[in-house]
Amino acid sequence: MKPDVFDKIGPGYGDNLMAHYDYMRRHDIYAAYAVLPPAGARNPEFYQKKEMPVPTLKVVEERDDGVVISGMKMLATGRCNMPMSCGSETCSPSPMAAKLKP
């Protein structure tokens, strides 16, 4: 990683990023983040054939005070799946999941 890249935003940003990463690593916190075009927007030819604007997010104007964007993106998140054995009242990790535990 190059945390110093974030110091271009402001002093200490890189250090804050590394502290956050270290906290997550020490506390075994899982995080995932992805932003992508929605499935229907991945085929611009469809919209062009129908003479419709392509809905993918894009910058439409640059100004002194920022940018104007138009379109859409989809946020994807992650999750961790663990096989579970469920009895009549309780659930616990399956024997296979227990073998995976460090």
Side-chain angles (χ1 to χ4, degrees):
M1 290 197 297
K2 297 182 180 180
D4 54 310
V5 169
F6 291 92
D7 288 329
K8 294 176 184 176
I9 298 169
Y13 277 67
D15 290 339
N16 287 347
L17 173 68
M18 293 308 297
H20 183 69
Y21 171 77
D22 185 57
Y23 177 86
M24 291 181 66
R25 190 177 51 141
R26 283 185 287 111
H27 292 89
D28 199 21
I29 297 172
Y30 170 78
Y33 185 78
V35 178
L36 60 154
R42 295 181 197 152
N43 183 3
E45 293 84 21
F46 170 81
Y47 295 94
Q48 292 164 350
K49 286 178 187 176
K50 296 191 178 279
E51 297 182 9
M52 297 170 59
V54 179
T56 303
L57 187 68
K58 59 187 164 282
V59 174
V60 295
E61 185 180 348
E62 294 185 32
R63 304 181 192 169
D64 290 338
D65 62 341
V67 295
V68 177
I69 59 174
S70 178
M72 61 179 155
K73 285 283 187 182
M74 182 172 64
L75 175 63
T77 59
R79 72 176 185 184
C80 219
N81 290 326
M82 179 177 283
M84 300 295 279
S85 297
C86 294
S88 60
E89 296 180 15
T90 61
C91 289
S92 61
S94 71
M96 182 54 158
K99 290 178 185 176
L100 298 175
K101 186 175 180 181

Coordinates of all heavy atoms in Angstrom, one line a residue:
M1 N 0.8 -1.2 0.0 CA 0.0 0.0 0.0 C 0.9 1.2 0.0 O 2.0 1.2 0.5 CB -0.9 0.0 1.2 CG -2.0 -1.1 1.1 SD -3.4 -0.8 2.3 CE -2.6 -0.9 3.9
K2 N 0.3 2.3 -0.5 CA 1.0 3.6 -0.5 C 0.2 4.6 0.2 O -0.5 5.4 -0.4 CB 1.3 4.0 -1.9 CG 2.2 3.1 -2.7 CD 2.5 3.6 -4.1 CE 3.4 2.6 -4.8 NZ 3.6 3.1 -6.2
P3 N 0.2 4.6 1.6 CA -0.7 5.5 2.3 C -0.4 7.0 2.1 O -1.2 7.9 2.2 CB -0.5 5.1 3.8 CG 0.8 4.4 3.8 CD 0.9 3.8 2.4
D4 N 0.9 7.3 1.7 CA 1.3 8.7 1.4 C 0.5 9.3 0.3 O 0.3 10.5 0.2 CB 2.8 8.8 1.2 CG 3.2 7.9 0.0 OD1 2.9 6.7 0.0 OD2 3.9 8.4 -0.9
V5 N -0.1 8.5 -0.6 CA -1.0 9.0 -1.6 C -2.1 9.8 -1.0 O -2.5 10.9 -1.5 CB -1.5 7.9 -2.5 CG1 -2.6 8.4 -3.5 CG2 -0.4 7.3 -3.3
F6 N -2.7 9.3 0.1 CA -3.8 10.0 0.8 C -3.4 11.3 1.5 O -4.2 12.1 1.8 CB -4.5 9.0 1.7 CG -5.2 7.9 1.0 CD1 -4.5 6.7 0.8 CD2 -6.5 8.1 0.6 CE1 -5.2 5.7 0.1 CE2 -7.1 7.0 -0.1 CZ -6.5 5.8 -0.4
D7 N -2.1 11.5 1.7 CA -1.6 12.7 2.4 C -1.8 13.9 1.4 O -1.7 15.0 1.8 CB -0.2 12.6 2.9 CG -0.1 11.7 4.1 OD1 -1.1 11.6 4.9 OD2 0.9 11.0 4.3
K8 N -2.0 13.6 0.1 CA -2.2 14.7 -0.8 C -3.6 15.3 -0.6 O -3.8 16.5 -0.9 CB -2.1 14.2 -2.3 CG -0.7 13.7 -2.6 CD -0.7 13.1 -4.0 CE 0.7 12.6 -4.3 NZ 0.7 11.9 -5.6
I9 N -4.5 14.6 0.0 CA -5.8 15.1 0.4 C -5.7 16.0 1.6 O -6.3 17.1 1.6 CB -6.8 14.0 0.7 CG1 -7.0 13.1 -0.5 CG2 -8.1 14.5 1.2 CD1 -7.7 11.8 -0.2
G10 N -4.9 15.6 2.5 CA -4.6 16.4 3.7 C -3.7 15.7 4.6 O -3.5 14.4 4.6
P11 N -2.9 16.4 5.5 CA -2.0 15.8 6.4 C -2.6 14.8 7.3 O -3.7 15.0 7.9 CB -1.4 17.0 7.2 CG -1.9 18.2 6.5 CD -3.0 17.8 5.7
G12 N -2.0 13.6 7.4 CA -2.5 12.6 8.4 C -3.4 11.6 7.8 O -3.8 10.6 8.4
Y13 N -3.9 11.8 6.6 CA -4.9 10.9 6.0 C -4.3 9.5 5.8 O -4.9 8.5 6.0 CB -5.4 11.4 4.6 CG -6.5 12.4 4.7 CD1 -6.4 13.6 5.3 CD2 -7.8 12.1 4.2 CE1 -7.4 14.6 5.3 CE2 -8.8 13.0 4.3 CZ -8.6 14.2 4.9 OH -9.7 15.1 5.0
G14 N -3.0 9.5 5.3 CA -2.3 8.2 5.2 C -2.2 7.4 6.5 O -2.4 6.2 6.6
D15 N -1.8 8.2 7.5 CA -1.7 7.5 8.8 C -3.0 7.0 9.3 O -3.1 5.9 9.9 CB -1.1 8.5 9.9 CG 0.4 8.9 9.6 OD1 1.0 8.0 8.9 OD2 0.8 9.9 10.0
N16 N -4.1 7.8 9.1 CA -5.4 7.4 9.5 C -5.8 6.1 8.8 O -6.4 5.2 9.4 CB -6.4 8.5 9.3 CG -6.3 9.6 10.3 OD1 -5.6 9.5 11.3 ND2 -7.0 10.7 10.0
L17 N -5.5 6.0 7.5 CA -5.8 4.8 6.7 C -5.1 3.6 7.3 O -5.7 2.6 7.5 CB -5.5 5.0 5.3 CG -5.6 3.8 4.4 CD1 -7.1 3.4 4.2 CD2 -4.9 4.0 3.0
M18 N -3.8 3.8 7.6 CA -3.1 2.6 8.1 C -3.6 2.2 9.5 O -3.6 1.1 9.8 CB -1.6 3.0 8.1 CG -1.0 3.1 6.7 SD -1.3 1.7 5.6 CE -0.5 0.4 6.5
A19 N -3.9 3.2 10.3 CA -4.5 2.9 11.7 C -5.8 2.1 11.5 O -6.0 1.2 12.3 CB -4.6 4.2 12.5
H20 N -6.6 2.5 10.6 CA -7.9 1.9 10.4 C -7.6 0.4 9.9 O -8.2 -0.5 10.4 CB -8.7 2.6 9.4 CG -10.1 2.1 9.2 ND1 -11.1 2.1 10.1 CD2 -10.6 1.4 8.1 CE1 -12.2 1.5 9.6 NE2 -11.9 1.1 8.4
Y21 N -6.7 0.3 9.0 CA -6.4 -1.1 8.4 C -5.9 -1.9 9.6 O -6.3 -3.1 9.7 CB -5.4 -0.9 7.3 CG -4.8 -2.2 6.9 CD1 -5.5 -3.1 6.0 CD2 -3.5 -2.7 7.3 CE1 -5.0 -4.3 5.6 CE2 -3.0 -3.9 6.9 CZ -3.8 -4.7 6.1 OH -3.3 -5.9 5.7
D22 N -5.0 -1.4 10.4 CA -4.4 -2.2 11.5 C -5.4 -2.6 12.5 O -5.5 -3.7 12.9 CB -3.3 -1.3 12.1 CG -2.6 -2.1 13.2 OD1 -2.0 -3.2 12.9 OD2 -2.5 -1.7 14.4
Y23 N -6.4 -1.7 12.8 CA -7.5 -2.0 13.7 C -8.3 -3.1 13.2 O -8.6 -4.1 13.9 CB -8.3 -0.8 14.0 CG -9.5 -1.0 14.8 CD1 -9.4 -1.0 16.2 CD2 -10.8 -1.4 14.3 CE1 -10.5 -1.2 17.0 CE2 -11.8 -1.7 15.1 CZ -11.7 -1.6 16.5 OH -12.8 -1.9 17.3
M24 N -8.6 -3.1 11.9 CA -9.5 -4.1 11.3 C -8.7 -5.5 11.3 O -9.3 -6.5 11.6 CB -9.9 -3.7 9.9 CG -10.9 -2.6 9.9 SD -11.4 -2.1 8.2 CE -12.3 -3.6 7.7
R25 N -7.4 -5.4 11.0 CA -6.6 -6.7 11.0 C -6.5 -7.3 12.4 O -6.7 -8.5 12.5 CB -5.3 -6.3 10.4 CG -4.4 -7.6 10.1 CD -3.1 -7.1 9.5 NE -2.5 -6.1 10.4 CZ -1.3 -6.0 10.7 NH1 -0.4 -6.8 10.1 NH2 -0.8 -5.1 11.5
R26 N -6.2 -6.4 13.4 CA -6.1 -6.9 14.7 C -7.4 -7.5 15.3 O -7.4 -8.4 16.1 CB -5.5 -5.9 15.7 CG -4.1 -5.6 15.5 CD -3.5 -4.6 16.5 NE -3.9 -3.2 16.2 CZ -4.8 -2.5 16.9 NH1 -5.3 -3.0 18.0 NH2 -5.1 -1.3 16.6
H27 N -8.5 -6.9 14.9 CA -9.8 -7.4 15.4 C -10.5 -8.3 14.4 O -11.7 -8.6 14.6 CB -10.7 -6.1 15.7 CG -10.2 -5.4 16.9 ND1 -9.2 -4.3 16.7 CD2 -10.4 -5.5 18.2 CE1 -8.9 -3.8 17.9 NE2 -9.6 -4.5 18.8
D28 N -9.8 -8.8 13.4 CA -10.4 -9.7 12.5 C -11.7 -9.3 11.9 O -12.7 -10.0 11.9 CB -10.5 -11.1 13.2 CG -10.6 -12.3 12.2 OD1 -10.2 -12.1 11.0 OD2 -11.2 -13.3 12.5
I29 N -11.7 -8.0 11.4 CA -12.9 -7.5 10.8 C -12.9 -7.7 9.3 O -11.9 -7.3 8.7 CB -13.1 -6.0 11.2 CG1 -13.2 -5.8 12.7 CG2 -14.2 -5.3 10.4 CD1 -13.2 -4.4 13.2
Y30 N -13.9 -8.2 8.8 CA -14.0 -8.4 7.3 C -14.7 -7.2 6.7 O -15.8 -6.8 7.1 CB -14.8 -9.7 7.0 CG -15.2 -9.9 5.6 CD1 -14.2 -10.3 4.7 CD2 -16.5 -9.6 5.1 CE1 -14.5 -10.5 3.4 CE2 -16.8 -9.8 3.8 CZ -15.8 -10.3 2.9 OH -16.1 -10.4 1.6
A31 N -14.2 -6.7 5.6 CA -14.8 -5.6 4.8 C -14.6 -5.8 3.4 O -13.6 -6.3 2.9 CB -14.2 -4.3 5.3
A32 N -15.6 -5.5 2.6 CA -15.5 -5.6 1.1 C -16.3 -4.4 0.6 O -17.3 -4.0 1.1 CB -16.1 -6.9 0.6
Y33 N -15.8 -4.0 -0.6 CA -16.5 -2.8 -1.2 C -16.3 -2.9 -2.7 O -15.1 -3.1 -3.1 CB -15.9 -1.5 -0.6 CG -16.5 -0.3 -1.1 CD1 -17.7 0.1 -0.6 CD2 -16.0 0.5 -2.1 CE1 -18.3 1.3 -1.0 CE2 -16.6 1.6 -2.6 CZ -17.8 2.0 -2.0 OH -18.4 3.2 -2.5
A34 N -17.3 -2.8 -3.4 CA -17.2 -2.7 -4.9 C -18.3 -1.9 -5.4 O -19.4 -1.9 -5.0 CB -17.3 -4.1 -5.5
V35 N -17.9 -1.1 -6.4 CA -18.9 -0.2 -7.1 C -18.8 -0.6 -8.6 O -17.7 -0.5 -9.2 CB -18.6 1.3 -6.9 CG1 -19.6 2.1 -7.7 CG2 -18.7 1.6 -5.4
L36 N -19.9 -0.9 -9.2 CA -19.9 -1.3 -10.6 C -21.2 -0.9 -11.3 O -22.2 -0.6 -10.7 CB -19.7 -2.8 -10.8 CG -20.7 -3.7 -10.1 CD1 -20.7 -5.0 -10.8 CD2 -20.4 -3.9 -8.7
P37 N -21.2 -0.9 -12.6 CA -22.4 -0.5 -13.3 C -23.5 -1.6 -13.1 O -23.2 -2.8 -13.1 CB -22.0 -0.5 -14.8 CG -20.5 -0.5 -14.9 CD -20.1 -1.1 -13.6
P38 N -24.7 -1.2 -13.0 CA -25.8 -2.2 -12.9 C -25.8 -3.1 -14.1 O -25.4 -2.7 -15.2 CB -27.1 -1.4 -12.8 CG -26.6 -0.1 -12.4 CD -25.3 0.1 -12.9
A39 N -26.2 -4.3 -14.0 CA -26.2 -5.3 -15.1 C -26.7 -4.8 -16.4 O -26.2 -5.0 -17.5 CB -26.8 -6.6 -14.7
G40 N -27.9 -4.1 -16.3 CA -28.5 -3.6 -17.5 C -27.7 -2.5 -18.2 O -27.9 -2.3 -19.4
A41 N -26.9 -1.8 -17.5 CA -26.1 -0.7 -18.1 C -24.8 -1.1 -18.7 O -24.1 -0.3 -19.2 CB -25.9 0.3 -17.0
R42 N -24.5 -2.4 -18.6 CA -23.2 -2.9 -19.1 C -23.2 -3.1 -20.6 O -22.2 -3.4 -21.2 CB -22.8 -4.2 -18.4 CG -22.6 -4.0 -16.9 CD -22.1 -5.2 -16.2 NE -22.3 -5.0 -14.8 CZ -22.5 -6.0 -13.9 NH1 -22.6 -7.2 -14.4 NH2 -22.7 -5.8 -12.7
N43 N -24.3 -2.9 -21.2 CA -24.4 -3.1 -22.7 C -24.8 -1.7 -23.3 O -26.0 -1.5 -23.6 CB -25.4 -4.2 -23.0 CG -25.4 -4.5 -24.5 OD1 -24.7 -3.9 -25.3 ND2 -26.3 -5.4 -24.9
P44 N -23.9 -0.8 -23.6 CA -24.3 0.5 -24.1 C -24.9 0.4 -25.5 O -25.8 1.3 -25.8 CB -22.9 1.2 -24.2 CG -21.9 0.2 -24.0 CD -22.5 -1.0 -23.4
E45 N -24.7 -0.7 -26.3 CA -25.3 -0.8 -27.6 C -26.8 -0.9 -27.5 O -27.5 -0.3 -28.3 CB -24.8 -2.0 -28.3 CG -23.3 -1.9 -28.7 CD -22.4 -2.3 -27.6 OE1 -22.8 -3.1 -26.6 OE2 -21.2 -1.9 -27.6
F46 N -27.3 -1.5 -26.4 CA -28.8 -1.6 -26.2 C -29.4 -0.2 -26.2 O -30.4 0.1 -26.8 CB -29.1 -2.4 -24.9 CG -30.5 -2.3 -24.5 CD1 -31.4 -3.2 -25.1 CD2 -31.0 -1.4 -23.6 CE1 -32.8 -3.1 -24.8 CE2 -32.3 -1.4 -23.2 CZ -33.2 -2.2 -23.8
Y47 N -28.8 0.7 -25.4 CA -29.3 2.0 -25.2 C -29.1 2.9 -26.5 O -30.0 3.6 -26.9 CB -28.7 2.7 -24.0 CG -29.0 2.0 -22.7 CD1 -28.2 1.1 -22.2 CD2 -30.2 2.3 -22.1 CE1 -28.5 0.4 -21.0 CE2 -30.5 1.7 -20.9 CZ -29.7 0.7 -20.4 OH -30.1 0.1 -19.3
Q48 N -28.0 2.7 -27.2 CA -27.7 3.4 -28.4 C -28.7 3.1 -29.5 O -29.2 3.9 -30.2 CB -26.3 3.2 -28.8 CG -25.3 3.8 -27.9 CD -23.9 3.3 -28.1 OE1 -23.6 2.4 -28.8 NE2 -22.9 4.0 -27.4
K49 N -29.1 1.8 -29.6 CA -30.0 1.3 -30.6 C -31.4 1.9 -30.4 O -32.2 2.2 -31.3 CB -30.1 -0.2 -30.6 CG -28.9 -0.9 -31.3 CD -29.1 -2.4 -31.2 CE -27.8 -3.1 -31.7 NZ -27.9 -4.5 -31.5
K50 N -31.7 2.1 -29.1 CA -33.0 2.7 -28.8 C -33.0 4.2 -28.6 O -33.9 4.9 -28.2 CB -33.6 2.1 -27.5 CG -33.8 0.6 -27.6 CD -34.6 0.1 -26.5 CE -34.9 -1.4 -26.6 NZ -36.0 -1.7 -27.5
E51 N -31.8 4.8 -29.0 CA -31.6 6.2 -28.9 C -31.9 6.8 -27.5 O -32.5 7.8 -27.3 CB -32.4 7.0 -30.0 CG -32.0 6.6 -31.4 CD -32.8 7.4 -32.5 OE1 -33.5 8.3 -32.1 OE2 -32.6 7.0 -33.6
M52 N -31.4 6.0 -26.5 CA -31.6 6.4 -25.1 C -30.2 6.7 -24.6 O -29.2 6.1 -25.0 CB -32.2 5.2 -24.3 CG -33.6 4.9 -24.7 SD -34.2 3.3 -24.0 CE -34.0 3.7 -22.3
P53 N -30.1 7.6 -23.6 CA -28.7 7.8 -23.0 C -28.3 6.6 -22.2 O -29.1 5.9 -21.6 CB -29.0 9.0 -22.0 CG -30.4 9.0 -21.8 CD -31.1 8.4 -23.0
V54 N -27.0 6.3 -22.3 CA -26.4 5.2 -21.5 C -26.4 5.6 -20.1 O -25.9 6.6 -19.7 CB -25.0 4.8 -22.0 CG1 -24.4 3.7 -21.2 CG2 -25.0 4.5 -23.5
P55 N -27.0 4.8 -19.2 CA -27.1 5.2 -17.8 C -25.9 5.0 -16.9 O -26.0 5.3 -15.7 CB -28.3 4.3 -17.2 CG -28.1 3.0 -18.1 CD -27.7 3.5 -19.4
T56 N -24.8 4.6 -17.4 CA -23.6 4.4 -16.6 C -23.1 5.8 -16.1 O -23.2 6.8 -16.8 CB -22.4 3.8 -17.5 OG1 -22.9 2.6 -18.0 CG2 -21.2 3.6 -16.7
L57 N -22.7 5.8 -14.8 CA -22.3 7.0 -14.2 C -21.1 7.7 -14.9 O -20.1 7.0 -15.3 CB -21.8 6.7 -12.7 CG -21.5 7.9 -11.9 CD1 -22.8 8.7 -11.6 CD2 -20.9 7.5 -10.6
K58 N -21.2 9.0 -15.1 CA -20.1 9.7 -15.8 C -20.1 11.2 -15.4 O -21.1 11.7 -14.9 CB -20.3 9.6 -17.3 CG -21.6 10.1 -17.9 CD -21.7 9.8 -19.4 CE -23.2 10.0 -19.8 NZ -24.1 8.9 -19.5
V59 N -19.0 11.8 -15.6 CA -18.9 13.3 -15.3 C -19.5 14.0 -16.5 O -19.1 13.7 -17.7 CB -17.4 13.7 -15.1 CG1 -17.3 15.2 -15.0 CG2 -16.8 13.0 -13.9
V60 N -20.4 14.9 -16.3 CA -21.1 15.6 -17.4 C -20.6 17.1 -17.4 O -20.8 17.7 -18.4 CB -22.6 15.5 -17.3 CG1 -23.1 14.1 -17.6 CG2 -23.2 16.0 -16.0
E61 N -20.0 17.5 -16.3 CA -19.6 18.9 -16.3 C -18.5 19.1 -15.2 O -18.6 18.5 -14.1 CB -20.8 19.8 -16.0 CG -20.5 21.3 -16.0 CD -21.7 22.2 -15.7 OE1 -22.8 21.7 -15.7 OE2 -21.5 23.4 -15.5
E62 N -17.5 19.8 -15.5 CA -16.5 20.2 -14.5 C -16.6 21.7 -14.2 O -16.7 22.5 -15.1 CB -15.1 19.9 -15.1 CG -14.8 18.4 -15.3 CD -13.4 18.1 -15.7 OE1 -12.5 18.8 -15.3 OE2 -13.2 17.1 -16.5
R63 N -16.6 22.0 -13.0 CA -16.7 23.4 -12.5 C -15.6 23.7 -11.5 O -14.9 22.8 -11.1 CB -18.0 23.6 -11.8 CG -19.2 23.3 -12.5 CD -20.4 23.6 -11.6 NE -21.7 23.0 -12.2 CZ -22.8 23.0 -11.5 NH1 -22.8 23.4 -10.2 NH2 -23.9 22.5 -12.0
D64 N -15.4 25.0 -11.2 CA -14.4 25.4 -10.2 C -14.7 24.8 -8.9 O -13.8 24.5 -8.1 CB -14.3 26.9 -10.1 CG -13.7 27.5 -11.4 OD1 -13.0 26.8 -12.1 OD2 -13.9 28.7 -11.6
D65 N -16.0 24.6 -8.5 CA -16.4 24.1 -7.2 C -16.6 22.6 -7.2 O -17.0 22.0 -6.2 CB -17.6 24.8 -6.7 CG -18.9 24.6 -7.6 OD1 -18.7 24.2 -8.8 OD2 -20.0 24.8 -7.1
G66 N -16.3 21.9 -8.3 CA -16.4 20.4 -8.3 C -16.9 19.9 -9.6 O -16.7 20.6 -10.7
V67 N -17.5 18.7 -9.6 CA -18.0 18.1 -10.9 C -19.4 17.8 -10.7 O -20.0 17.6 -9.6 CB -17.2 16.8 -11.2 CG1 -15.7 17.1 -11.5 CG2 -17.3 15.8 -10.1
V68 N -20.1 17.7 -11.9 CA -21.5 17.3 -12.0 C -21.5 15.9 -12.6 O -20.9 15.7 -13.6 CB -22.3 18.2 -12.8 CG1 -23.8 17.7 -12.9 CG2 -22.3 19.6 -12.2
I69 N -22.1 14.9 -11.9 CA -22.2 13.6 -12.5 C -23.6 13.2 -12.8 O -24.6 13.8 -12.2 CB -21.6 12.6 -11.5 CG1 -22.3 12.6 -10.1 CG2 -20.1 12.8 -11.3 CD1 -21.9 11.5 -9.2
S70 N -23.8 12.3 -13.7 CA -25.1 11.8 -14.0 C -25.0 10.3 -14.3 O -24.0 9.8 -14.9 CB -25.6 12.5 -15.3 OG -26.9 12.0 -15.7
G71 N -26.0 9.5 -14.0 CA -26.0 8.1 -14.2 C -26.2 7.3 -12.9 O -26.6 7.8 -11.9
M72 N -25.8 6.0 -13.0 CA -26.0 5.2 -11.8 C -24.8 4.2 -11.7 O -24.2 3.8 -12.7 CB -27.3 4.5 -11.9 CG -27.5 3.6 -13.1 SD -29.1 2.8 -13.0 CE -29.4 2.4 -14.7
K73 N -24.6 3.8 -10.5 CA -23.7 2.7 -10.1 C -24.4 1.8 -9.1 O -25.3 2.2 -8.5 CB -22.4 3.3 -9.5 CG -21.4 3.9 -10.5 CD -20.7 2.9 -11.2 CE -19.6 3.5 -12.1 NZ -18.9 2.6 -12.9
M74 N -23.9 0.6 -9.0 CA -24.4 -0.3 -8.0 C -23.4 -0.6 -7.0 O -22.2 -0.8 -7.3 CB -24.8 -1.6 -8.8 CG -25.4 -2.7 -8.0 SD -26.1 -4.0 -8.9 CE -24.6 -4.7 -9.6
L75 N -23.8 -0.6 -5.7 CA -22.9 -1.0 -4.6 C -23.0 -2.5 -4.4 O -24.1 -3.0 -4.1 CB -23.2 -0.2 -3.4 CG -22.5 -0.5 -2.1 CD1 -21.0 -0.1 -2.3 CD2 -23.0 0.3 -1.0
A76 N -21.9 -3.1 -4.4 CA -21.8 -4.5 -4.0 C -21.2 -4.7 -2.7 O -20.2 -4.0 -2.4 CB -21.0 -5.3 -5.1
T77 N -21.7 -5.5 -1.9 CA -21.1 -5.8 -0.6 C -20.7 -7.3 -0.5 O -21.1 -8.1 -1.4 CB -22.1 -5.5 0.6 OG1 -23.3 -6.2 0.4 CG2 -22.4 -4.0 0.6
G78 N -20.0 -7.7 0.5 CA -19.6 -9.0 0.7 C -20.2 -9.6 2.0 O -20.6 -8.9 2.9
R79 N -20.1 -10.9 2.0 CA -20.5 -11.6 3.3 C -19.7 -12.9 3.4 O -19.2 -13.4 2.4 CB -22.0 -11.8 3.4 CG -22.4 -12.9 2.5 CD -23.9 -13.2 2.7 NE -24.3 -14.3 1.9 CZ -25.5 -14.8 1.8 NH1 -26.5 -14.2 2.4 NH2 -25.8 -15.8 1.0
C80 N -19.6 -13.4 4.5 CA -18.8 -14.6 4.8 C -19.9 -15.7 5.0 O -20.7 -15.5 5.9 CB -18.0 -14.4 6.0 SG -16.4 -15.2 5.8
N81 N -19.8 -16.7 4.2 CA -20.8 -17.8 4.5 C -20.1 -18.9 5.3 O -19.0 -19.3 5.0 CB -21.2 -18.4 3.1 CG -22.1 -17.5 2.4 OD1 -22.9 -16.8 2.9 ND2 -22.0 -17.5 1.0
M82 N -20.8 -19.4 6.3 CA -20.3 -20.5 7.1 C -21.3 -21.6 7.2 O -22.5 -21.3 7.5 CB -19.9 -20.0 8.5 CG -19.4 -21.2 9.4 SD -18.9 -20.6 11.0 CE -17.3 -19.9 10.6
P83 N -21.0 -22.8 6.8 CA -22.0 -23.9 6.9 C -22.5 -24.0 8.4 O -21.6 -24.0 9.3 CB -21.3 -25.1 6.5 CG -20.0 -24.7 5.9 CD -19.7 -23.3 6.3
M84 N -23.8 -24.2 8.6 CA -24.3 -24.3 9.9 C -25.1 -25.6 10.1 O -25.7 -26.1 9.1 CB -25.3 -23.1 10.2 CG -24.6 -21.7 10.1 SD -23.4 -21.4 11.3 CE -24.3 -21.0 12.7
S85 N -25.0 -26.1 11.2 CA -25.8 -27.3 11.6 C -26.9 -26.8 12.6 O -26.6 -26.2 13.6 CB -25.0 -28.4 12.3 OG -24.0 -28.9 11.4
C86 N -28.1 -26.9 12.2 CA -29.2 -26.4 13.0 C -30.0 -27.5 13.6 O -30.5 -28.4 12.9 CB -30.1 -25.5 12.2 SG -29.3 -24.0 11.7
G87 N -30.2 -27.5 14.9 CA -31.0 -28.4 15.6 C -32.4 -27.8 15.7 O -32.8 -26.9 15.1
S88 N -33.2 -28.3 16.7 CA -34.6 -27.8 16.8 C -34.6 -26.4 17.4 O -35.5 -25.6 17.1 CB -35.4 -28.7 17.7 OG -34.8 -28.8 19.0
E89 N -33.6 -26.0 18.2 CA -33.6 -24.7 18.8 C -32.4 -23.9 18.6 O -32.4 -22.6 18.7 CB -33.8 -24.9 20.3 CG -35.2 -25.5 20.7 CD -35.3 -25.6 22.2 OE1 -34.6 -25.0 22.9 OE2 -36.2 -26.4 22.6
T90 N -31.3 -24.5 18.3 CA -30.0 -23.7 18.1 C -29.3 -24.0 16.9 O -29.5 -25.1 16.3 CB -29.1 -24.0 19.3 OG1 -28.8 -25.4 19.3 CG2 -29.7 -23.6 20.6
C91 N -28.4 -23.1 16.4 CA -27.6 -23.4 15.3 C -26.1 -23.2 15.8 O -25.8 -22.4 16.6 CB -27.8 -22.3 14.2 SG -29.4 -22.6 13.4
S92 N -25.2 -24.0 15.2 CA -23.8 -23.9 15.5 C -23.0 -24.2 14.2 O -23.6 -24.9 13.3 CB -23.5 -24.9 16.6 OG -23.7 -26.2 16.2
P93 N -21.8 -23.8 14.2 CA -21.0 -24.1 13.0 C -20.9 -25.6 12.8 O -20.9 -26.4 13.7 CB -19.6 -23.5 13.3 CG -19.9 -22.5 14.3 CD -21.1 -23.0 15.1
S94 N -21.0 -26.0 11.5 CA -20.9 -27.4 11.2 C -19.5 -27.9 11.5 O -18.6 -27.2 11.7 CB -21.2 -27.6 9.7 OG -20.1 -27.2 8.9
P95 N -19.3 -29.3 11.6 CA -18.0 -29.8 11.9 C -17.0 -29.4 10.9 O -15.8 -29.1 11.3 CB -18.2 -31.3 11.8 CG -19.7 -31.5 12.1 CD -20.4 -30.3 11.6
M96 N -17.3 -29.2 9.6 CA -16.4 -28.7 8.6 C -15.9 -27.3 8.9 O -14.7 -27.0 8.9 CB -17.0 -28.8 7.2 CG -16.0 -28.4 6.1 SD -14.5 -29.3 6.2 CE -13.9 -29.2 4.6
A97 N -16.9 -26.4 9.3 CA -16.5 -25.1 9.6 C -15.6 -25.0 10.9 O -14.7 -24.2 10.9 CB -17.8 -24.3 9.9
A98 N -15.8 -25.9 11.8 CA -15.0 -25.9 13.0 C -13.6 -26.3 12.6 O -12.6 -25.8 13.2 CB -15.6 -26.9 14.0
K99 N -13.4 -27.2 11.6 CA -12.0 -27.5 11.2 C -11.3 -26.4 10.6 O -10.1 -26.3 10.6 CB -12.1 -28.7 10.2 CG -12.5 -30.0 10.8 CD -12.6 -31.1 9.8 CE -13.1 -32.4 10.4 NZ -13.3 -33.4 9.4
L100 N -12.0 -25.4 10.0 CA -11.4 -24.3 9.4 C -11.0 -23.2 10.4 O -10.2 -22.4 10.0 CB -12.4 -23.6 8.4 CG -12.9 -24.5 7.2 CD1 -13.9 -23.8 6.4 CD2 -11.7 -24.9 6.4
K101 N -11.5 -23.3 11.6 CA -11.2 -22.3 12.6 C -9.7 -22.4 12.9 O -9.2 -23.5 13.2 CB -12.0 -22.5 13.8 CG -11.8 -21.4 14.8 CD -12.8 -21.6 16.0 CE -12.6 -20.5 17.0 NZ -13.5 -20.6 18.2
P102 N -9.0 -21.2 12.9 CA -7.5 -21.3 13.3 C -7.3 -21.7 14.7 O -8.1 -21.5 15.6 CB -7.0 -19.9 13.0 CG -8.2 -19.0 12.8 CD -9.4 -19.9 12.6

